[in-house]
Amino acid sequence: MLKIYNTLARDKQEFKPIQPGQVRMYVCGMTVYDYCHLGHARVLVVFDMVARWLRNSGYALTYVRNITDIDDKIIARATQNNETIEALTARFIEAMDLDAAALGVIKPDLEPRATRHIPDMLALIKQLETNGLAYRADNGDVYYAVRGFEGYGKLSGKSLQDLRAGERVEVDSYKRDPLDFVLWKAAKPGEPSWDSPWGMGRPGWHIECSAMSEHHLGHHFDIHGGGQDLQFPHHENEIAQSEGAHHCTYVNYWMHNGFVRVDDEKMSKSLDNFFTIREVLKVYDPEVLRFFILRAHYRSPLNYSDQHLDDAKQALTRLYTSLRGMDTPSIQPDWSQPFTARFKAAMDDDFNTPEALAVLFDLAGEVNRSHDTNTAAQLKALAGTLGLLQRVPEEFLQGEAAGGGFDAEDIENLITERANAKKKRNFAEADQIRQNLLDQGIVLEDSPQGTTWRRQ
RNA sequence: GGUGCGUUAGCAAAGCGGUUAUGCUCCGGCCUGCAAAGCCGGCUAGUCCAGUUCGACUCUGGAACGCACCUCCA
């Protein structure tokens, strides 16, 4: 039985889908005005892992991850670059797709874009107006009247009173309440705009997710995910919008992944301490990055550093090494086995990937001792549910000839040369060849079956 | 100021009221011509202070420190 930590309940709860056997999940995706950073990588990988596990558990999943392709930052960046918004967003959507694919992230079933769902948003705002929860202010903006929604604050655990007491709530004279948020922004000269019952304008940030999730998943669905920083105000406002419009529960389970940190501080664009995915992938294999993300529990903070990535690389190398030379047919995990049962129990416990990976290492040790093909196949099958360990081991271990150096053919020639030296018991020469290769980051490993190599 | 979360060995990171977590690093041993990989073993874990208990890293209370949200952010 799968248990999920529900932010709404502040506790782990048994997962019960609305419709038996089916799960509908919506995850807040990217605002496409720049390259994805490691924080984005974490959301992508974490919810890819969740999606895989749900499917693995037998659920028919509909996974929606939106793309925000209109907002203040996009407009500002396009102006700054002197390019159209369409060109800018197309460029970064393509980049995002490449980054996600490199990390082994399976595409969501649907990736709706805000600009393609303006009518849905207008209909939702209209409904809120009818319900007395939206009003047009003197500046032309349409706001959500937070006072009219009783449950406001239930997700973030904040009361309106506490929020008003906060020093950082800005006073905006056009709003009836300082906590009211914008649903529709009146058009400004030179900005993209759409026609609406309230005049030309563009959507506020929060309305798009309420509108697009409703369009694809209905008024009430199972799981809504995103980064911890979206809990408030974004997700809180989504609840206010969707429940305020339809008077029914919006989402049953809210999931929030923890931050990626650098030097114990949140990695964010505003702090300018972020690393982009592609930057990191220049140095590390994408599977190492995926492994690094899954090695921590999704709700814990994840500290980024080269040392930690190196560590992750070594660990993943151990797993691949255990599968090297093994004939591992692609099979489904046999959940009745002790190791697989442990793995499943870990994953069912709020997606405890660190514990699940520990099982993988125990299994690797077992493979190393027994050289049992079936055990190796189980290891590969389990890792496969996490999107790991599916490559031919040599491909991972030998990698690409990074930055010149020896290619595979050079290495094989040198191995032959060394084998001849060894045959003549000229160990000095043999060791010299091995050292030369090691200087290039190539490690040789002798065995009764011959010599194999890998990159450090 | 308000609210929430965290503090585990050299580093990273889980579970668990009593039994080796796991990975990396480092140190022994086996194996090897020597290595590497692997195997076997080792390395002063549980921020502090009280309490509950036969027994607490694990439960309760408090303190210290750290982080996050309250503003755009995954």
Side-chain angles (χ1 to χ4, degrees):
Chain A
M1 177 53 91
L2 175 62
K3 280 184 168 178
I4 296 179
Y5 183 91
N6 188 353
T7 307
L8 202 51
R10 263 156 273 280
D11 204 4
K12 282 184 208 170
Q13 297 179 321
E14 256 183 34
F15 177 69
K16 293 189 191 119
I18 295 165
Q19 289 173 11
Q22 290 184 32
V23 179
R24 284 167 286 153
M25 176 165 82
Y26 184 96
V27 172
C28 287
M30 257 47 81
T31 301
V32 283
Y33 67 99
D34 208 341
Y35 292 112
C36 290
H37 58 65
L38 292 180
H40 300 118
R42 194 173 192 191
V43 193
L44 290 168
V45 169
V46 161
F47 286 99
D48 179 63
M49 172 277 291
V50 169
R52 284 170 186 258
W53 188 248
L54 288 169
R55 293 204 166 103
N56 208 79
S57 305
Y59 291 111
L61 171 72
T62 306
Y63 175 20
V64 179
R65 192 184 64 215
N66 74 293
I67 294 171
T68 299
D69 59 354
I70 180 70
D71 93 320
D72 290 353
K73 286 181 177 171
I74 292 173
I75 294 169
R77 184 63 62 88
T79 307
Q80 182 192 324
N81 289 0
N82 196 23
E83 68 180 329
T84 64
I85 285 170
E86 290 70 26
L88 176 86
T89 55
R91 204 150 54 81
F92 286 114
I93 288 170
E94 197 186 338
M96 171 182 78
D97 286 344
L98 288 172
D99 291 343
L103 292 172
V105 172
I106 297 170
K107 263 192 160 311
D109 299 292
L110 295 152
E111 294 182 88
R113 296 171 58 165
T115 53
R116 313 264 167 93
H117 288 268
I118 303 289
D120 291 325
M121 300 185 214
L122 295 177
L124 197 53
I125 297 171
K126 194 79 198 147
Q127 184 63 49
L128 288 170
E129 195 177 47
T130 304
N131 294 358
L133 290 168
Y135 61 93
R136 187 177 184 277
D138 291 341
N139 64 352
D141 289 353
V142 179
Y143 292 104
Y144 186 101
V146 153
R147 256 180 294 183
F149 183 70
E150 211 175 318
Y152 198 79
K154 66 181 177 183
L155 179 68
S156 51
K158 300 174 190 305
S159 69
L160 282 175
Q161 204 176 359
D162 290 344
L163 286 165
R164 291 205 183 92
E167 305 164 334
R168 298 154 93 183
V169 175
E170 65 182 86
V171 180
D172 184 335
S173 54
Y174 293 106
K175 294 178 182 177
R176 290 180 191 166
D177 187 297
L179 293 165
D180 287 353
F181 57 91
V182 69
L183 294 165
W184 188 257
K185 295 183 181 189
K188 294 196 184 82
E191 287 186 357
S193 60
W194 289 262
D195 198 11
S196 86
W198 309 276
M200 296 299 286
R202 60 189 170 91
W205 175 37
H206 313 296
I207 196 70
E208 65 173 86
C209 288
S210 282
M212 292 191 284
S213 62
E214 175 186 332
H215 182 101
H216 292 291
L217 301 175
H219 293 175
H220 179 204
F221 56 95
D222 298 291
I223 300 172
H224 190 127
Q228 218 164 49
D229 42 1
L230 298 185
Q231 191 176 320
F232 189 92
H234 185 53
H235 290 161
E236 194 70 63
N237 291 350
E238 272 188 60
I239 292 175
Q241 290 167 344
S242 295
E243 300 194 351
H246 305 304
H247 299 111
C248 73
T249 302
Y250 176 43
V251 168
N252 282 358
Y253 302 88
W254 286 89
M255 293 180 66
H256 293 97
N257 65 272
F259 297 129
V260 176
R261 296 180 181 177
V262 176
D263 298 329
D264 286 315
E265 267 197 321
K266 174 182 172 182
M267 180 181 291
S268 78
K269 293 199 176 171
S270 25
L271 289 174
D272 200 34
N273 62 349
F274 63 90
F275 292 85
T276 63
I277 295 174
R278 48 192 54 206
E279 221 173 327
V280 173
L281 295 191
K282 278 180 195 160
V283 185
Y284 294 96
D285 186 287
E287 195 173 347
V288 169
L289 182 52
R290 185 179 176 97
F291 179 90
F292 168 70
I293 290 168
L294 294 176
R295 198 168 53 144
H297 185 83
Y298 76 90
R299 285 189 281 114
S300 305
L302 178 62
N303 259 311
Y304 172 81
S305 75
D306 284 354
Q307 191 214 25
H308 295 155
L309 271 259
D310 288 340
D311 184 316
K313 181 187 176 184
Q314 286 309 114
L316 189 55
T317 297
R318 175 168 163 82
L319 292 179
Y320 265 118
T321 301
S322 75
L323 292 182
R324 188 167 49 172
M326 300 292 293
D327 181 31
T328 48
S330 287
I331 55 163
Q332 291 299 307
D334 172 3
W335 299 111
S336 67
Q337 300 295 313
F339 284 109
T340 48
R342 256 178 74 205
F343 183 94
K344 182 169 161 41
M347 290 301 287
D348 277 344
D349 183 15
D350 193 31
F351 311 97
N352 191 343
T353 53
E355 176 65 21
L357 289 174
V359 175
L360 260 35
F361 284 101
D362 286 344
L363 216 34
E366 201 54 40
V367 171
N368 286 333
R369 278 184 292 271
S370 68
H371 301 287
D372 178 63
T373 306
N374 187 48
T375 308
Q378 288 298 325
L379 168 58
K380 190 177 173 186
L382 284 182
T385 68
L386 295 174
L388 295 171
L389 233 52
Q390 296 308 292
R391 291 191 269 170
V392 174
E394 278 71 20
E395 190 204 315
F396 174 82
L397 295 168
Q398 301 184 339
E400 298 158 28
F406 298 124
D407 64 22
E409 200 185 328
D410 297 332
I411 296 165
E412 293 298 341
N413 288 339
L414 286 165
I415 286 174
T416 307
E417 209 177 296
R418 174 166 168 271
N420 291 334
K422 276 176 67 176
K423 219 173 274 178
K424 288 182 276 181
R425 301 198 65 81
N426 186 349
F427 294 121
E429 191 191 334
D431 290 350
Q432 185 57 52
I433 293 168
R434 185 170 63 195
Q435 186 58 47
N436 290 348
L437 283 163
L438 190 59
D439 292 343
Q440 300 290 320
I442 314 292
V443 183
L444 296 191
E445 293 169 352
D446 294 337
S447 81
Q449 287 77 41
T451 300
T452 56
W453 64 276
R454 65 185 167 89
R455 292 186 197 278
Q456 256 177 342

